[in-house]
Amino acid sequence: MTVPQAPRTTTLLRGGTVHSPADPFATAMVVEGDRVAWVGSEGAAESFADGADEIVDLDGALVTPAFTDAHVHTTATGLALTGLDLTGATGPAEALAAVTAHIRARPTDRVVLGHGWDSAAWPGGAAPSRAALDAAADGRPVYLTRVDVHSALASTALLDLVPGVTALPGYSPDGPLTGDAHHAVRTAAHGTVTADQRRHAQRAALRHAAGLGIGALHECAGPLISGEDDLTGLLALAAEEPGPRVFGYWGEAVTSARQLDRVRDLGAVGAAGDLFVDGSLGSHTAHLHAPYADADHTGLAHLDTAAVTAHVVACTEAGVQAGFHAIGDAALTAVTDGVRAAADHVGIDRVRAARHRIEHAALLTDATLAAFADLALTASVQPAFDAAWGGPDGMYASRLGSERAARLHPLAGLLRAGVPLALGSDAPVTPLDPWGTLRAAAFHRTPEHRISVRAAFAAHTRGGWRALGRDGEGTLVPGAVADYAVWRSGHLVVQAADDRVARWSTDPRSGTPGLPDLTPGEPLPQCLRTVVGGRTVHDRLNG
């Protein structure tokens, strides 16, 4: 994608700390146009002052590469920011009261769209009945997605707009909808969003991301998620207005190169992202080898090994990145077996070179983790999932039992195996929050899965670019694209993830650039300025 070009000006930033592998002690940086021109010490910075169009006194602030969030649903995130947010609801009564209040405040909305309820965290674990939702909605069509977006509550008035929904898999006469029934109702609900509403939501999400130091987003679109107009409109908006870069993925299975022409026509960089092999653990739709601990089934399988193979073969032969959403261990087996079969067909070197990617990759086994490494699959993962639902008393343990739950999100194991990592949020499932994501990775609820802050930072900056096949971006070195953020933060340290070594160090002799102390309880850094391609897209530095 392209972003509006910055005027050819020269900016000198000085008097702070610049996180750069070019100089671990850097305090200053020069940007010319859309590129980093120089990184170095305060003494040398003086020689650039006369030629600078802007001199930024950092006053001790930290400059880092801008973050890349490798998994986002931008419109849904914007709708959650500007609409009915149920993430704070502590039970069915509070959620229903929020629906009623929202309807009174916005009487002209054709369909009430809400997001974020989580009955797993509510007393009794039960979602509101359809009758209770109808009463709260006063006869209005209402669509409320669970926090994982893999199931939803729908009012009778909305179901009446979807002919044949009661015969679709995943329909429940009184409970949340899953599977095909959910997808049909979601399509109907989102079909009521006007172009102006969608653009307003997208703009709100991009502005919010810029305010968090995020310079690039991977939009995970698809026919079962958001639709073609949503993706093309988002890419056009990102190209027209200053803000984070947006790279679109289209999650639709293909079997031929001709079908991939449509993916290219949409402006997508790959036939990947949320191409569903299964669902989610919270909604009991992730596909498992053994039944759930709290349900007598193994979830849903949307694609089998043969379908994975066909998709990867078609994409590899056409030079297009492929990818899948896979959470459960059975889904990940189907993916790795399918990619292996594709490698047998087109050659393993071609598969490796394509850098196919897997979203979530939650319940890995030793065999599937080894296959990720051998097949050079990128793991696009969300550490905030563990922070939200991990631990011995969390939702994951309820769904899987403690032994299986302890295997989820093995970040350290992936790094040890040499698997490329790209970090993201899956917003609106968990919020856009890059430093919180790093904290979740470094302080994983299962200690053996923890990684260092430095490794997590690399995965949330360079990792997102590498997942796009652009290895030279995501770092502040001369010649790199000038995508960076300025932060007010506390003291900088080098934090380790292993209790057998010191957890943090401020010793400059290590030659390792420091990062903010992300120990739980410490305040997270505040973004003062975000710059994308040399153009300021968020600025509180002088406010």
Side-chain angles (χ1 to χ4, degrees):
M1 66 152 293
T2 59
V3 296
Q5 291 296 306
R8 187 75 182 182
T9 59
T10 299
T11 300
L12 168 63
L13 300 98
R14 63 188 301 181
T17 299
V18 179
H19 189 278
S20 171
D23 183 349
F25 310 108
T27 61
M29 181 172 76
V30 174
V31 174
E32 293 184 353
D34 65 347
R35 297 279 165 173
V36 176
W38 172 85
V39 175
S41 66
E42 185 64 25
E46 187 62 35
S47 63
F48 295 96
D50 289 344
D53 299 293
E54 180 187 17
I55 298 177
V56 178
D57 180 5
L58 294 171
D59 190 26
L62 170 68
V63 181
T64 72
F67 286 102
T68 294
D69 192 310
H71 191 122
V72 176
H73 304 285
T74 307
T75 303
T77 300
L79 289 171
L81 289 169
T82 60
L84 177 53
D85 182 1
L86 298 174
T87 55
T90 58
E94 189 173 347
L96 294 174
V99 170
T100 300
H102 184 81
I103 287 172
R104 290 172 178 166
R106 301 173 64 164
T108 60
D109 287 0
R110 293 171 59 191
V111 173
V112 176
L113 303 175
H115 167 74
W117 60 270
D118 185 4
S119 58
W122 292 347
S129 67
R130 185 157 298 136
L133 179 59
D134 288 344
D138 194 25
R140 296 278 296 281
V142 175
Y143 172 71
L144 309 176
T145 48
R146 189 185 181 278
V147 66
D148 59 9
V149 200
H150 284 272
S151 60
L153 298 170
S155 67
T156 300
L158 178 58
L159 294 173
D160 289 343
L161 301 178
V162 188
V165 67
T166 59
L168 293 176
Y171 174 78
S172 168
D174 196 45
L177 306 175
T178 62
D180 291 346
H182 175 218
H183 296 157
V185 170
R186 174 165 55 194
T187 298
H190 285 178
T192 68
V193 178
T194 67
D196 285 344
Q197 286 176 311
R198 184 168 59 237
R199 195 172 181 88
H200 176 67
Q202 291 169 346
R203 188 176 284 118
L206 294 176
R207 187 180 300 118
H208 182 60
L212 295 169
I214 297 171
L217 306 171
H218 296 187
E219 166 68 15
C220 292
L224 299 179
I225 304 165
S226 52
E228 295 182 8
D229 289 345
D230 186 87
L231 175 61
T232 56
L234 173 64
L235 295 178
L237 177 66
E240 294 165 4
E241 299 182 1
R245 305 172 191 270
V246 178
F247 300 93
Y249 284 93
W250 185 249
E252 185 172 8
V254 302
T255 58
S256 69
R258 186 174 64 180
Q259 291 173 306
L260 287 167
D261 290 339
R262 181 159 155 272
V263 175
R264 294 189 182 95
D265 289 343
L266 291 172
V269 296
D274 273 337
L275 175 49
F276 296 118
V277 179
D278 67 345
S280 74
L281 291 167
S283 291
H284 290 101
T285 54
H287 190 206
L288 307 176
H289 284 303
Y292 283 86
D294 59 353
D296 60 354
H297 61 83
T298 57
L300 298 178
H302 297 301
L303 295 178
D304 60 15
T305 298
V308 171
T309 301
H311 184 75
V312 174
V313 167
C315 289
T316 305
E317 290 182 334
V320 173
Q321 188 181 31
F324 306 91
H325 160 120
I327 286 180
D329 51 3
L332 287 160
T333 296
V335 165
T336 52
D337 286 353
V339 178
R340 178 74 65 190
D344 292 341
H345 182 83
V346 302
I348 193 168
D349 289 342
R350 293 180 69 187
V351 165
R352 289 170 174 164
R355 300 192 188 189
H356 302 311
R357 57 187 283 171
I358 312 301
E359 310 302 315
H360 313 309
L363 191 55
L364 289 159
T365 65
D366 291 343
T368 52
L369 194 155
F372 266 56
D374 187 46
L375 298 166
L377 299 174
T378 293
S380 170
V381 296
Q382 297 75 39
F385 285 12
D386 174 73
W389 302 301
D393 300 319
M395 180 270 289
Y396 289 150
S398 297
R399 294 289 186 269
L400 299 176
S402 58
E403 183 177 348
R404 275 189 298 179
R407 289 166 34 204
L408 285 165
H409 310 297
L411 304 179
L414 286 163
L415 283 182
R416 282 195 300 269
V419 176
L421 289 185
L423 300 190
S425 63
D426 199 8
V429 176
T430 59
L432 296 169
D433 180 12
W435 291 109
T437 294
L438 267 59
R439 173 178 283 172
F443 295 92
H444 196 295
R445 291 178 182 271
T446 304
E448 57 263 36
H449 297 332
R450 294 173 179 171
I451 60 176
S452 69
V453 170
R454 182 185 182 194
F457 181 80
H460 215 347
T461 50
R462 298 186 70 180
W465 286 101
R466 287 172 169 170
L468 296 164
R470 296 170 63 169
D471 291 347
E473 308 300 344
T475 186
L476 300 179
V477 296
V481 172
D483 290 7
Y484 64 90
V486 180
W487 308 90
R488 180 183 293 116
S489 68
H491 60 286
L492 305 182
V493 299
V494 179
Q495 282 180 303
D498 195 326
D499 286 329
R500 293 172 297 178
V501 299
R503 273 211 171 276
W504 59 269
S505 171
T506 56
D507 190 342
R509 292 173 298 179
S510 68
T512 302
L515 287 165
D517 184 356
L518 300 184
T519 303
E522 292 291 326
L524 293 176
Q526 294 181 311
C527 185
L528 303 176
R529 178 179 286 188
T530 306
V531 175
V532 176
R535 182 184 290 267
T536 299
V537 299
H538 166 76
D539 196 4
R540 291 175 51 209
L541 189 62
N542 300 312

